[in-house]
Amino acid sequence: MSGPQAEFDLTAPDANAKATGPSAATTFDFEVRGVSRVFKRSGGAAKSVIAVDDVSFTVTPGQRLGIVGESGSGKSTVVRMLAGLMRPSSGEILFRGEPMQDWRENQLAPLRSELQMVFQDPRSSLDPRMKVGRIISEPLRSPLIKRSGKIPDTQEARAARLTDVMVKMGLEPAMADRYPHEFSGGQRQRIAIARALAPRPSILIADEAVSALDVSVRAHVLNLIVDRVLDDGLTLLFVSHDLAVVRHVCDSVLVMKSGRIVESGDVAEVYANPQDPYTQELLASVPTIRAW
């Protein structure tokens, strides 16, 4: 005999908790205005692929925005454009009021010093020939970070920051002398997050950062991300195909399908009353645990 179904949940801080840092501001971190991105293949315009199609939204300082959709929905392309890794084919992206599309590479310095990314697979993003301590502290040697003044340009300051972020990500400082292959998948992803946090960014982009992890490990890593975002008052852009994970981490959500935003709003509201059929499908696919 089966009882009522209990919704799958992750034990962690309240996703609606307020960040301790300054989240209210008169300007946006990002303004995205009618942005599209077309990838052209050989063979002419008929072979072109529209990855992002006329997308508009804003990101406020301290916001925790989830971008949700299936593979190929355009969500990763959106955040790569925000990070300055690719340019839109049309439309406009503003970083703190300044249009980005005409910036040369050397003009992206203000963005590069404020934004860090965490990718899906830490095995491909961590240099296997470098020890973990060097991997995490490597961003601190960047001229951009040195000029920002966020971390004093001394060996002692870099060592202190290394220890600080390792402890906050649940890593023993003694592990700094090991290589990435000596760690589990969850530990490697925590190393990647520690590296992203080391230069004290104000914006963190996590692109499917926990999708490759086991469910039990995923919950722990998510809790660590939430703790750091709330404690440091970071702006978070969290890309995922899993609405349950986004509900746990974010306070607002964009739902994307075929390059377009089909629904957006407060996470709790979208979860409680989804308007678009695609959002309803995503929510219906959230895992449940049957109570016996």
Side-chain angles (χ1 to χ4, degrees), residues 21-39:
S23 60
T26 57
T27 60
F28 297 109
D29 276 342
F30 292 104
E31 295 176 74
V32 180
R33 301 175 177 175
V35 163
S36 297
R37 172 68 190 194
V38 179
F39 292 100

Side-chain angles (χ1 to χ4, degrees), residues 14-19 60 62-66 226 229-230 234-238 246 248-253 267:
D14 182 3
N16 293 316
K18 299 299 181 182
T60 58
Q63 183 177 358
R64 302 191 307 283
L65 175 65
V226 171
V229 168
L230 293 178
L234 302 180
T235 300
L236 175 67
L237 297 170
F238 191 90
V246 168
H248 172 77
V249 174
C250 301
D251 53 28
S252 54
V253 63
V267 163

